[in-house]
Structure formats: C-alpha cells, structure tokens
Amino acid sequence: KLRAMSRIADMRKELEAASARLKRLSSIDGLTQLYNRRHFDEVLELEWSRAERTQEPLSLILCDIDHFKAFNDNYGHIAGDDALVKTSQTIMHTLQRPTDLAARYGGEEFSVLLPNTDAKGALILAKRICSQITELKIVGISSEQVTVSAGLSMCEGDKSYPFDQMIQSAVEAMGKAKIAG
C-alpha cells in the first residue's frame, strides 16, 4: 500500500512537471523563442492592474522591423526568419530586469513591457534597442541594412486610461517613427 501511494505521488509530480512544460511551450513563439502575443496580453493585463493599485508607471515599447516585407521578398523567408531571430535575441539581451517582458507581438513586430518604468527610462531603452539592432548589420544582397522603428507609451496607474489605449498610443508613436525614418 505504501509503495502504491509513493508511485501515485511520483506520477502526480510527473504530471505537474509535464503540465508546467506544456504551459511554458504554449507561451513561447516557436521561431523567436520570445513570449507570444497571447502571453503578452495576459501579462499586460496583470501589470496594468498592478500599476493601478500601486500608482507606479508602466511603459510599453512596440518595435517593427522596417521594410520587412521587401526584405523577405528580396532575400527569402530563411533570411527573413534569421532577421527575426537576431532581432528578437537583441531585444531580449537589451533588457536588464527580470520583470521586463519581451514578446513577439505579431509578424515582424515586437513588444516590450516595462513595469515600474517611466517614459524617460522607456525612451532610453527604446533607443538602445534600435541602436543595437542597427549595429547587428543584418544586410541583404543590396547591402540594405535591417533597422527597426519603435514607439512607446506610458501610464501611471490612471484608471481612466484603458490599456488598449496604451497599445494604440504606442502603435501611433511607432507609425510616426517609421515616417520620420
């Protein structure tokens, strides 16, 4: 009887470990190994609530690889995937705190969620990300270098400012950055 109980306990531990691995795998983008959009949305909601409670700032950076469709069309999907992987690794390595979250937002877009970070801190990080990606010197046949445009937004626990507006503000800022070059 004791042996059976021990075996059941072992099976329960194995099942819990498998469940944890499955949950982690369902949160990760297969190509970039960053968190996926679904996980980002879940964490954004949690961090938004925390920012409301604590009245601390929450910043969001959205990055988009410039002219990615043309790059992908000219150099192929393998080169495009390589550019996505290198970009995601650079974003991840640029983050300095365990609470910061990088995710693949969609296609060639990435998001960086920065709890307890004001606009000044987020701007410094956004500039560093853009600079680091430019320094990668990912180039295609025509020596056209891969760059990113970034937009950011920030809130300070303002309940009247919904988090979808925070995302929209970052998207608009990113669009302005693209236009500005």
Side-chain angles (χ1 to χ4, degrees):
K1 183 176 180 178
L2 192 56
R3 192 177 200 163
M5 289 176 60
S6 176
R7 178 73 176 129
I8 290 171
D10 289 344
M11 289 173 59
R12 184 172 287 139
K13 286 180 187 176
E14 288 176 24
L15 184 59
E16 288 171 359
S19 178
R21 280 192 304 275
L22 184 59
K23 183 174 180 177
R24 176 161 163 53
L25 286 173
S26 72
S27 299
I28 301 294
D29 177 71
L31 176 64
T32 64
Q33 297 301 301
L34 292 179
Y35 287 108
N36 61 25
R37 172 69 182 270
R38 185 178 56 79
H39 184 77
F40 166 79
D41 289 341
E42 290 171 1
V43 173
L44 174 60
E45 211 169 321
L46 291 171
E47 290 298 340
W48 186 266
S49 296
R50 184 185 338 265
E52 281 184 342
R53 276 193 322 276
T54 63
Q55 295 298 298
E56 292 178 350
L58 176 63
S59 291
L60 171 64
I61 301 170
L62 290 181
C63 303
D64 185 63
I65 298 178
D66 297 320
H67 314 292
F68 184 73
K69 183 181 177 342
F71 181 90
N72 219 19
D73 289 347
N74 286 334
Y75 308 117
H77 292 286
I78 293 173
D81 286 354
D82 185 54
L84 288 169
V85 169
K86 287 179 179 176
T87 299
S88 65
Q89 289 172 346
T90 300
I91 291 170
M92 191 64 208
H93 288 98
T94 305
L95 301 182
Q96 298 178 353
R97 301 176 309 170
T99 56
D100 297 343
L101 180 121
R104 186 171 182 190
Y105 194 72
E108 69 276 6
E109 295 177 331
F110 301 91
S111 58
V112 179
L113 192 59
L114 304 165
N116 199 19
T117 304
D118 62 14
K120 182 179 175 184
L123 181 59
I124 290 168
L125 186 61
K127 286 180 178 181
R128 189 177 301 140
I129 288 169
C130 291
S131 171
Q132 294 287 329
I133 290 169
T134 300
E135 287 178 20
L136 286 175
K137 299 195 184 317
I138 302 170
V139 293
I141 297 165
S142 67
S143 299
E144 185 176 311
Q145 192 163 317
V146 171
T147 58
V148 296
S149 295
L152 67 94
S153 62
M154 196 255 335
C155 75
E156 292 189 85
D158 182 359
K159 292 182 182 187
S160 66
Y161 184 69
F163 68 80
D164 58 338
Q165 181 58 44
M166 181 182 196
I167 293 171
Q168 186 58 39
S169 294
V171 167
E172 289 170 7
M174 186 174 60
K176 289 178 184 175
K178 279 195 170 295
I179 291 169

